Amino acid sequence: MADKITYYAIIDDSSSLEHPAGVIRRIENDEREIDEVFSRNLTWEFSSLLYSAEHGDLTNDFTVITEDEATQVIERIRAESVDPE
């Protein structure tokens, strides 16, 4: 099975779907399932946030978004890291 990638907007108390706190992706294939968050280091890094939410941690909400929407969030994070205004 080819990788199946699902993107999620991370929504916390100070963000919204229109301006999410970040983006996380779940990569699934026959061998594994891994979650990665696009970090402030501007790289994809392992994350347990989605797994924790599935097991009762209600700190963040996760909403499925398209790859294009995820790209927009990533571009905003990149821009904010250069110009933190």
Side-chain angles (χ1 to χ4, degrees):
M1 164 176 144
D3 286 351
K4 174 187 173 191
I5 303 174
T6 307
Y7 295 91
Y8 300 84
I10 302 170
I11 308 198
D12 60 17
D13 290 338
S14 61
S15 66
S16 66
L17 183 56
E18 294 75 27
H19 195 86
V23 66
I24 195 165
R25 68 183 179 188
R26 173 165 282 170
I27 303 169
E28 300 172 83
N29 59 38
D30 290 337
E31 298 172 12
R32 66 184 179 134
E33 175 180 282
I34 188 167
D35 297 334
E36 299 175 323
V37 65
F38 191 78
S39 74
R40 300 293 174 192
N41 294 329
L42 308 181
T43 60
W44 288 103
E45 298 177 4
F46 171 79
S47 174
S48 62
L49 288 174
L50 194 55
Y51 177 83
S52 294
E54 291 171 339
H55 291 85
D57 182 346
L58 303 177
T59 304
N60 300 299
D61 290 326
F62 298 92
T63 301
V64 175
I65 58 175
T66 67
E67 183 176 2
D68 288 341
E69 290 169 322
T71 299
Q72 291 174 11
V73 176
I74 291 166
E75 290 305 316
R76 179 181 51 83
I77 292 169
R78 285 187 174 130
E80 289 173 354
S81 73
V82 173
D83 183 16
E85 290 181 33

Coordinates of all heavy atoms in Angstrom, one line a residue:
M1 N 0.8 -1.2 0.0 CA 0.0 0.0 0.0 C 0.9 1.2 0.0 O 1.8 1.3 0.8 CB -0.9 0.0 1.3 CG -1.5 1.3 1.6 SD -2.6 1.0 3.1 CE -2.4 2.5 3.9
A2 N 0.6 2.2 -0.9 CA 1.3 3.4 -0.9 C 0.9 4.2 0.4 O -0.1 4.0 1.0 CB 0.9 4.2 -2.1
D3 N 1.8 5.2 0.7 CA 1.5 6.0 1.9 C 0.2 6.7 1.7 O -0.1 7.3 0.7 CB 2.6 7.0 2.1 CG 3.9 6.4 2.6 OD1 3.9 5.2 3.0 OD2 4.9 7.1 2.6
K4 N -0.6 6.7 2.8 CA -1.8 7.5 2.9 C -1.5 8.6 3.9 O -1.1 8.4 5.0 CB -3.0 6.7 3.4 CG -4.2 7.6 3.6 CD -5.3 6.8 4.3 CE -6.5 7.7 4.6 NZ -7.5 7.0 5.5
I5 N -1.6 9.9 3.4 CA -1.3 11.0 4.3 C -2.5 11.8 4.6 O -3.2 12.2 3.6 CB -0.2 11.9 3.7 CG1 1.1 11.1 3.4 CG2 0.1 13.1 4.6 CD1 2.1 11.9 2.6
T6 N -2.8 12.0 5.8 CA -4.0 12.8 6.2 C -3.4 14.0 7.0 O -2.6 13.9 7.9 CB -4.9 12.0 7.1 OG1 -5.3 10.8 6.5 CG2 -6.2 12.8 7.5
Y7 N -3.9 15.2 6.7 CA -3.4 16.5 7.3 C -4.5 17.0 8.3 O -5.7 16.8 8.0 CB -3.2 17.5 6.3 CG -2.0 17.2 5.4 CD1 -2.2 16.5 4.2 CD2 -0.7 17.5 5.7 CE1 -1.2 16.2 3.3 CE2 0.4 17.2 4.9 CZ 0.1 16.5 3.7 OH 1.2 16.2 2.9
Y8 N -4.1 17.5 9.4 CA -5.0 18.1 10.4 C -4.5 19.5 10.8 O -3.3 19.7 11.0 CB -5.0 17.2 11.6 CG -5.4 15.8 11.4 CD1 -4.5 14.8 11.0 CD2 -6.7 15.4 11.7 CE1 -4.8 13.5 10.8 CE2 -7.1 14.1 11.5 CZ -6.2 13.1 11.1 OH -6.5 11.8 10.9
A9 N -5.5 20.4 10.9 CA -5.2 21.7 11.5 C -5.2 21.5 13.0 O -6.1 20.8 13.6 CB -6.3 22.7 11.1
I10 N -4.3 22.1 13.7 CA -4.2 22.1 15.2 C -4.9 23.3 15.7 O -4.5 24.4 15.4 CB -2.8 22.0 15.7 CG1 -2.0 20.8 15.1 CG2 -2.7 22.0 17.2 CD1 -0.5 20.8 15.4
I11 N -5.9 23.1 16.5 CA -6.7 24.3 17.0 C -6.7 24.2 18.5 O -7.0 23.2 19.1 CB -8.1 24.2 16.5 CG1 -8.1 24.1 15.0 CG2 -8.9 25.4 17.0 CD1 -9.1 24.3 14.1
D12 N -6.2 25.3 19.1 CA -6.1 25.4 20.6 C -6.9 26.6 21.0 O -7.6 27.3 20.2 CB -4.7 25.5 21.1 CG -3.9 26.7 20.5 OD1 -4.5 27.6 20.0 OD2 -2.7 26.6 20.6
D13 N -6.8 27.0 22.3 CA -7.6 28.1 22.8 C -7.4 29.5 22.1 O -8.2 30.3 22.1 CB -7.4 28.3 24.3 CG -8.0 27.1 25.1 OD1 -9.0 26.4 24.5 OD2 -7.6 26.9 26.2
S14 N -6.2 29.6 21.6 CA -5.8 30.9 21.0 C -5.8 30.9 19.4 O -5.2 31.8 18.8 CB -4.5 31.4 21.5 OG -3.5 30.5 21.2
S15 N -6.4 29.9 18.8 CA -6.4 29.8 17.4 C -7.8 29.4 16.9 O -8.7 29.1 17.7 CB -5.3 28.8 16.9 OG -5.6 27.5 17.3
S16 N -7.9 29.3 15.5 CA -9.1 28.9 14.9 C -8.8 28.1 13.6 O -7.7 28.0 13.2 CB -9.9 30.1 14.5 OG -9.3 30.9 13.5
L17 N -9.9 27.6 13.0 CA -9.7 26.8 11.8 C -9.1 27.8 10.7 O -8.3 27.4 9.9 CB -11.0 26.2 11.3 CG -10.9 25.3 10.1 CD1 -9.8 24.2 10.2 CD2 -12.2 24.7 9.8
E18 N -9.5 29.0 10.7 CA -9.1 30.0 9.7 C -7.6 30.4 10.0 O -6.9 30.8 9.1 CB -9.9 31.2 9.8 CG -11.4 31.0 9.3 CD -12.2 30.3 10.3 OE1 -12.0 30.4 11.6 OE2 -13.2 29.6 9.9
H19 N -7.2 30.3 11.2 CA -5.8 30.6 11.6 C -5.3 29.6 12.7 O -5.2 29.9 13.8 CB -5.7 32.0 12.1 CG -4.3 32.6 12.2 ND1 -3.7 33.2 11.1 CD2 -3.4 32.6 13.2 CE1 -2.5 33.5 11.5 NE2 -2.3 33.2 12.7
P20 N -5.1 28.3 12.2 CA -4.7 27.3 13.2 C -3.3 27.5 13.8 O -2.5 28.2 13.3 CB -4.7 26.0 12.3 CG -4.6 26.4 10.9 CD -5.1 27.8 10.9
A21 N -3.2 26.9 15.0 CA -1.9 26.9 15.7 C -0.8 26.2 14.9 O 0.4 26.5 15.1 CB -2.0 26.4 17.1
G22 N -1.2 25.2 14.1 CA -0.2 24.5 13.4 C -0.8 23.4 12.5 O -2.1 23.3 12.4
V23 N 0.0 22.5 12.0 CA -0.5 21.4 11.2 C 0.2 20.1 11.5 O 1.4 20.1 11.9 CB -0.3 21.8 9.6 CG1 1.1 21.9 9.2 CG2 -1.0 20.8 8.8
I24 N -0.5 19.1 11.5 CA 0.0 17.7 11.8 C -0.4 16.8 10.7 O -1.4 17.0 10.0 CB -0.4 17.2 13.2 CG1 0.4 16.0 13.7 CG2 -1.9 16.9 13.2 CD1 0.2 15.8 15.1
R25 N 0.5 15.9 10.4 CA 0.1 14.9 9.3 C 0.3 13.5 9.9 O 1.2 13.2 10.7 CB 0.9 15.1 8.1 CG 2.4 14.7 8.2 CD 3.1 15.0 6.9 NE 4.6 14.7 7.1 CZ 5.5 15.0 6.2 NH1 5.2 15.6 5.0 NH2 6.7 14.7 6.4
R26 N -0.6 12.6 9.5 CA -0.5 11.2 9.8 C -0.2 10.4 8.5 O -0.9 10.5 7.5 CB -1.8 10.7 10.4 CG -1.8 9.1 10.6 CD -2.9 8.7 11.5 NE -2.5 9.0 12.9 CZ -3.3 8.9 13.9 NH1 -4.6 8.5 13.7 NH2 -2.9 9.1 15.1
I27 N 0.9 9.7 8.6 CA 1.3 8.9 7.4 C 1.1 7.4 7.8 O 1.6 6.9 8.8 CB 2.8 9.1 7.1 CG1 3.1 10.6 6.9 CG2 3.3 8.3 5.9 CD1 4.6 11.0 6.8
E28 N 0.3 6.8 6.9 CA -0.1 5.4 7.1 C 0.3 4.6 5.9 O 0.1 5.0 4.8 CB -1.6 5.2 7.3 CG -2.1 6.0 8.5 CD -3.6 5.9 8.5 OE1 -4.2 5.0 9.0 OE2 -4.2 6.9 8.0
N29 N 0.9 3.4 6.2 CA 1.1 2.4 5.1 C 1.0 1.0 5.8 O 0.7 0.9 6.9 CB 2.4 2.6 4.4 CG 3.6 2.6 5.3 OD1 3.7 1.8 6.3 ND2 4.6 3.5 5.1
D30 N 1.3 0.0 5.0 CA 1.2 -1.4 5.5 C 2.1 -1.7 6.7 O 1.9 -2.6 7.5 CB 1.5 -2.4 4.4 CG 0.5 -2.4 3.4 OD1 -0.7 -2.0 3.7 OD2 0.7 -2.8 2.2
E31 N 3.2 -0.9 6.8 CA 4.2 -1.2 7.9 C 4.1 -0.4 9.1 O 4.5 -0.8 10.2 CB 5.6 -1.0 7.3 CG 5.9 -1.9 6.1 CD 7.2 -1.6 5.4 OE1 8.0 -0.8 5.9 OE2 7.4 -2.2 4.3
R32 N 3.5 0.8 9.0 CA 3.5 1.7 10.2 C 2.5 2.8 10.0 O 1.9 3.1 9.0 CB 4.8 2.3 10.4 CG 5.3 3.2 9.3 CD 6.7 3.7 9.6 NE 7.0 4.6 8.5 CZ 7.6 5.8 8.6 NH1 8.0 6.2 9.8 NH2 7.9 6.5 7.6
E33 N 2.3 3.5 11.1 CA 1.5 4.8 11.2 C 2.4 5.7 12.0 O 2.8 5.4 13.1 CB 0.2 4.5 11.9 CG -0.6 5.7 12.1 CD -1.9 5.4 12.8 OE1 -2.9 4.9 12.1 OE2 -2.0 5.6 14.1
I34 N 2.6 6.9 11.5 CA 3.4 7.9 12.2 C 2.8 9.3 12.1 O 2.3 9.6 11.0 CB 4.9 7.9 11.7 CG1 5.8 8.8 12.6 CG2 5.0 8.3 10.3 CD1 7.2 8.6 12.4
D35 N 2.8 10.0 13.1 CA 2.3 11.4 13.1 C 3.5 12.4 13.2 O 4.4 12.2 14.0 CB 1.4 11.6 14.3 CG 0.2 10.8 14.3 OD1 -0.2 10.3 13.2 OD2 -0.4 10.5 15.4
E36 N 3.4 13.4 12.4 CA 4.5 14.4 12.4 C 3.8 15.8 12.4 O 2.8 16.0 11.8 CB 5.3 14.3 11.1 CG 6.0 13.0 11.0 CD 6.8 12.9 9.7 OE1 6.3 13.4 8.7 OE2 7.9 12.3 9.7
V37 N 4.4 16.7 13.2 CA 4.0 18.1 13.2 C 5.0 19.0 12.5 O 6.2 18.7 12.5 CB 3.8 18.6 14.7 CG1 5.2 18.6 15.4 CG2 3.1 19.9 14.8
F38 N 4.5 20.0 11.7 CA 5.4 20.9 11.1 C 5.8 21.9 12.2 O 5.0 22.7 12.7 CB 4.8 21.6 9.9 CG 5.8 22.4 9.1 CD1 6.6 21.7 8.2 CD2 5.9 23.8 9.3 CE1 7.6 22.4 7.5 CE2 6.9 24.5 8.6 CZ 7.7 23.8 7.7
S39 N 7.1 21.8 12.6 CA 7.5 22.5 13.8 C 8.0 24.0 13.5 O 8.2 24.3 12.3 CB 8.7 21.8 14.4 OG 9.8 21.9 13.6
R40 N 8.3 24.7 14.5 CA 8.8 26.0 14.4 C 10.3 26.0 13.9 O 10.8 27.0 13.5 CB 8.8 26.8 15.7 CG 7.3 27.0 16.2 CD 6.5 27.9 15.4 NE 5.1 27.9 15.8 CZ 4.1 28.4 15.1 NH1 4.4 28.9 13.9 NH2 2.9 28.4 15.6
N41 N 10.8 24.8 13.9 CA 12.2 24.6 13.3 C 12.1 24.4 11.7 O 13.1 24.2 11.1 CB 12.8 23.3 13.8 CG 13.2 23.5 15.3 OD1 13.4 24.6 15.8 ND2 13.1 22.4 16.0
L42 N 10.8 24.5 11.2 CA 10.5 24.5 9.8 C 10.8 23.1 9.2 O 11.2 23.0 8.0 CB 11.2 25.6 9.0 CG 11.0 27.0 9.6 CD1 11.8 28.0 8.7 CD2 9.6 27.3 9.7
T43 N 10.6 22.1 10.0 CA 10.8 20.7 9.6 C 9.6 19.8 10.1 O 9.0 20.2 11.1 CB 12.1 20.1 10.1 OG1 12.1 20.1 11.5 CG2 13.3 20.9 9.5
W44 N 9.4 18.7 9.5 CA 8.4 17.7 10.0 C 9.1 16.9 11.1 O 10.2 16.4 10.9 CB 7.9 16.8 8.9 CG 7.0 17.5 7.9 CD1 7.3 17.9 6.7 CD2 5.6 17.8 8.1 NE1 6.2 18.5 6.1 CE2 5.2 18.4 7.0 CE3 4.8 17.6 9.2 CZ2 3.9 18.9 6.8 CZ3 3.5 18.1 9.1 CH2 3.0 18.7 7.9
E45 N 8.5 16.9 12.3 CA 9.1 16.2 13.4 C 8.0 15.3 14.1 O 6.8 15.6 14.1 CB 9.6 17.2 14.5 CG 10.7 18.1 14.0 CD 11.1 19.1 15.0 OE1 10.6 19.1 16.2 OE2 12.0 19.9 14.6
F46 N 8.5 14.1 14.6 CA 7.5 13.2 15.3 C 6.7 13.9 16.3 O 7.2 14.8 17.0 CB 8.3 12.1 15.9 CG 7.4 11.2 16.8 CD1 6.6 10.3 16.2 CD2 7.4 11.4 18.2 CE1 5.8 9.5 17.0 CE2 6.5 10.7 19.0 CZ 5.7 9.7 18.4
S47 N 5.5 13.6 16.4 CA 4.6 14.2 17.4 C 3.6 13.1 18.0 O 3.1 12.3 17.2 CB 3.8 15.3 16.8 OG 2.8 15.8 17.7
S48 N 3.3 13.2 19.2 CA 2.3 12.3 19.9 C 1.0 13.0 20.1 O 0.1 12.5 20.7 CB 2.9 11.7 21.2 OG 3.1 12.8 22.1
L49 N 0.9 14.3 19.6 CA -0.3 15.1 19.9 C -1.6 14.4 19.4 O -2.6 14.3 20.2 CB -0.2 16.4 19.2 CG 0.8 17.4 19.8 CD1 0.9 18.7 18.9 CD2 0.4 17.8 21.2
L50 N -1.6 13.9 18.2 CA -2.9 13.3 17.7 C -3.2 12.0 18.4 O -4.3 11.8 18.8 CB -2.7 13.1 16.2 CG -3.9 12.7 15.4 CD1 -5.0 13.8 15.5 CD2 -3.6 12.6 13.9
Y51 N -2.2 11.2 18.7 CA -2.4 10.0 19.4 C -2.9 10.3 20.8 O -3.9 9.7 21.3 CB -1.0 9.2 19.5 CG -1.1 8.0 20.4 CD1 -1.6 6.8 19.8 CD2 -0.8 8.0 21.7 CE1 -1.7 5.6 20.6 CE2 -0.8 6.8 22.5 CZ -1.3 5.6 21.9 OH -1.4 4.5 22.6
S52 N -2.4 11.3 21.5 CA -2.9 11.7 22.8 C -4.3 12.2 22.7 O -5.1 11.8 23.6 CB -2.0 12.8 23.4 OG -0.7 12.4 23.6
A53 N -4.7 12.9 21.7 CA -6.1 13.3 21.6 C -7.0 12.2 21.4 O -8.1 12.1 21.9 CB -6.2 14.3 20.4
E54 N -6.6 11.2 20.7 CA -7.4 10.0 20.4 C -7.6 9.2 21.7 O -8.5 8.4 21.8 CB -6.8 9.1 19.4 CG -6.8 9.7 18.0 CD -6.0 9.0 16.9 OE1 -5.1 8.2 17.3 OE2 -6.3 9.2 15.8
H55 N -6.7 9.4 22.7 CA -6.8 8.7 24.0 C -7.2 9.6 25.1 O -6.9 9.3 26.3 CB -5.4 8.0 24.2 CG -5.2 6.9 23.3 ND1 -4.7 7.0 22.1 CD2 -5.5 5.6 23.4 CE1 -4.6 5.9 21.4 NE2 -5.1 5.0 22.2
G56 N -7.9 10.7 24.8 CA -8.5 11.5 25.9 C -8.0 12.9 26.1 O -8.6 13.6 26.9
D57 N -6.8 13.2 25.6 CA -6.2 14.6 25.9 C -7.0 15.6 25.0 O -6.9 15.6 23.8 CB -4.8 14.6 25.5 CG -4.1 15.9 25.8 OD1 -4.8 16.9 26.0 OD2 -2.9 16.0 25.7
L58 N -7.7 16.5 25.7 CA -8.6 17.4 25.0 C -8.0 18.8 24.9 O -8.7 19.8 24.7 CB -9.9 17.5 25.7 CG -10.7 16.1 25.7 CD1 -12.0 16.3 26.5 CD2 -10.9 15.6 24.4
T59 N -6.6 18.9 25.0 CA -6.0 20.2 25.0 C -6.1 20.9 23.6 O -6.4 22.1 23.6 CB -4.5 20.0 25.3 OG1 -4.3 19.4 26.5 CG2 -3.7 21.4 25.3
N60 N -6.0 20.1 22.6 CA -6.2 20.7 21.2 C -7.3 19.9 20.5 O -7.6 18.8 20.8 CB -4.9 20.4 20.4 CG -3.7 21.1 21.0 OD1 -3.6 22.3 21.2 ND2 -2.7 20.3 21.4
D61 N -7.8 20.6 19.5 CA -8.8 20.0 18.6 C -8.0 19.8 17.2 O -7.1 20.6 16.9 CB -10.0 20.9 18.3 CG -10.9 21.0 19.5 OD1 -11.0 20.0 20.2 OD2 -11.5 22.1 19.7
F62 N -8.4 18.8 16.5 CA -7.7 18.5 15.2 C -8.8 18.3 14.2 O -9.7 17.5 14.4 CB -6.9 17.2 15.3 CG -5.8 17.3 16.3 CD1 -6.0 16.9 17.6 CD2 -4.6 17.8 15.9 CE1 -4.9 17.0 18.6 CE2 -3.5 17.9 16.9 CZ -3.7 17.5 18.2
T63 N -8.7 19.1 13.1 CA -9.7 19.1 12.0 C -9.0 18.6 10.8 O -8.0 19.2 10.4 CB -10.3 20.5 11.9 OG1 -11.0 20.8 13.1 CG2 -11.4 20.4 10.7
V64 N -9.5 17.7 10.1 CA -9.0 17.2 8.8 C -9.0 18.4 7.8 O -10.0 19.0 7.7 CB -9.7 16.0 8.3 CG1 -9.2 15.6 6.9 CG2 -9.6 14.8 9.2
I65 N -7.9 18.6 7.1 CA -7.8 19.6 6.1 C -7.2 19.0 4.9 O -6.6 17.9 4.9 CB -7.0 20.9 6.6 CG1 -5.6 20.5 7.0 CG2 -7.7 21.6 7.7 CD1 -4.7 21.6 7.4
T66 N -7.2 19.7 3.8 CA -6.6 19.2 2.5 C -5.1 19.5 2.5 O -4.6 20.3 3.3 CB -7.3 19.9 1.3 OG1 -6.9 21.3 1.3 CG2 -8.8 19.8 1.3
E67 N -4.5 18.9 1.6 CA -3.0 19.1 1.4 C -2.8 20.6 1.1 O -1.8 21.2 1.6 CB -2.4 18.2 0.4 CG -0.9 18.3 0.2 CD -0.3 17.4 -0.8 OE1 -1.1 16.6 -1.4 OE2 0.9 17.4 -0.9
D68 N -3.6 21.2 0.3 CA -3.5 22.6 -0.1 C -3.6 23.5 1.1 O -2.9 24.4 1.3 CB -4.5 23.0 -1.2 CG -4.1 22.4 -2.5 OD1 -3.0 22.0 -2.8 OD2 -5.0 22.4 -3.4
E69 N -4.6 23.2 2.0 CA -4.8 23.9 3.2 C -3.6 23.8 4.1 O -3.2 24.8 4.7 CB -6.1 23.5 3.9 CG -7.3 23.9 3.1 CD -8.6 23.3 3.7 OE1 -8.6 22.1 4.1 OE2 -9.6 24.0 3.7
A70 N -3.1 22.6 4.2 CA -1.9 22.3 5.0 C -0.7 23.1 4.5 O 0.0 23.7 5.3 CB -1.5 20.8 5.1
T71 N -0.6 23.2 3.2 CA 0.5 24.0 2.6 C 0.4 25.5 3.0 O 1.4 26.1 3.2 CB 0.5 23.8 1.1 OG1 0.8 22.4 0.8 CG2 1.6 24.6 0.4
Q72 N -0.8 26.0 3.0 CA -1.0 27.4 3.4 C -0.6 27.6 4.8 O 0.0 28.7 5.1 CB -2.5 27.7 3.1 CG -2.9 27.8 1.7 CD -4.4 28.0 1.5 OE1 -5.1 28.4 2.5 NE2 -4.9 27.9 0.3
V73 N -0.9 26.7 5.7 CA -0.5 26.9 7.1 C 1.0 26.8 7.2 O 1.6 27.6 7.9 CB -1.2 25.8 8.0 CG1 -0.7 25.9 9.4 CG2 -2.7 25.9 7.9
I74 N 1.6 25.9 6.5 CA 3.1 25.8 6.5 C 3.7 27.0 6.0 O 4.7 27.5 6.6 CB 3.5 24.5 5.7 CG1 3.1 23.3 6.4 CG2 5.0 24.6 5.4 CD1 3.2 22.0 5.6
E75 N 3.2 27.6 4.9 CA 3.7 28.9 4.4 C 3.6 30.0 5.4 O 4.5 30.8 5.5 CB 3.1 29.2 3.1 CG 3.5 28.3 1.9 CD 5.0 28.1 1.7 OE1 5.7 29.2 1.7 OE2 5.4 27.0 1.6
R76 N 2.5 30.0 6.1 CA 2.3 31.1 7.1 C 3.3 30.9 8.3 O 3.9 31.9 8.7 CB 0.9 31.0 7.7 CG 0.7 32.1 8.8 CD -0.7 32.0 9.4 NE -1.2 30.7 9.9 CZ -0.9 30.2 11.0 NH1 -0.1 30.8 11.9 NH2 -1.4 29.0 11.4
I77 N 3.5 29.7 8.7 CA 4.5 29.4 9.7 C 5.9 29.8 9.3 O 6.7 30.4 10.0 CB 4.5 27.9 10.1 CG1 3.2 27.6 10.8 CG2 5.7 27.5 11.0 CD1 2.9 26.1 11.1
R78 N 6.2 29.5 8.0 CA 7.5 29.9 7.5 C 7.7 31.4 7.5 O 8.7 32.0 7.9 CB 7.7 29.4 6.1 CG 8.1 27.9 6.1 CD 8.4 27.4 4.6 NE 8.8 26.1 4.7 CZ 8.4 25.1 3.9 NH1 7.5 25.4 3.0 NH2 8.9 23.9 4.0
A79 N 6.6 32.1 7.0 CA 6.7 33.6 7.0 C 6.8 34.2 8.4 O 7.5 35.2 8.6 CB 5.4 34.1 6.3
E80 N 6.1 33.6 9.3 CA 6.1 34.1 10.7 C 7.5 33.9 11.4 O 7.9 34.7 12.2 CB 5.0 33.5 11.6 CG 3.7 34.0 11.2 CD 2.5 33.3 11.9 OE1 2.8 32.3 12.6 OE2 1.4 33.7 11.8
S81 N 8.2 32.9 10.9 CA 9.5 32.6 11.5 C 10.5 33.6 11.0 O 11.5 33.9 11.7 CB 10.0 31.1 11.2 OG 10.3 31.0 9.8
V82 N 10.3 34.1 9.8 CA 11.2 35.2 9.2 C 10.8 36.5 9.8 O 11.7 37.3 10.1 CB 11.1 35.1 7.7 CG1 11.9 36.3 7.1 CG2 11.6 33.8 7.2
D83 N 9.5 36.8 9.8 CA 9.0 38.1 10.3 C 8.0 37.8 11.4 O 6.8 37.7 11.1 CB 8.4 38.8 9.1 CG 7.9 40.2 9.5 OD1 8.3 40.7 10.6 OD2 7.2 40.8 8.7
P84 N 8.4 37.8 12.6 CA 7.5 37.4 13.7 C 6.4 38.4 14.1 O 5.7 38.2 15.1 CB 8.4 37.2 14.9 CG 9.6 38.0 14.6 CD 9.7 38.0 13.1
E85 N 6.1 39.3 13.3 CA 5.1 40.3 13.6 C 3.8 39.7 13.5 O 2.9 39.4 13.0 CB 5.1 41.5 12.6 CG 6.4 42.3 12.9 CD 6.4 43.5 11.9 OE1 5.4 44.1 11.5 OE2 7.6 43.9 11.6

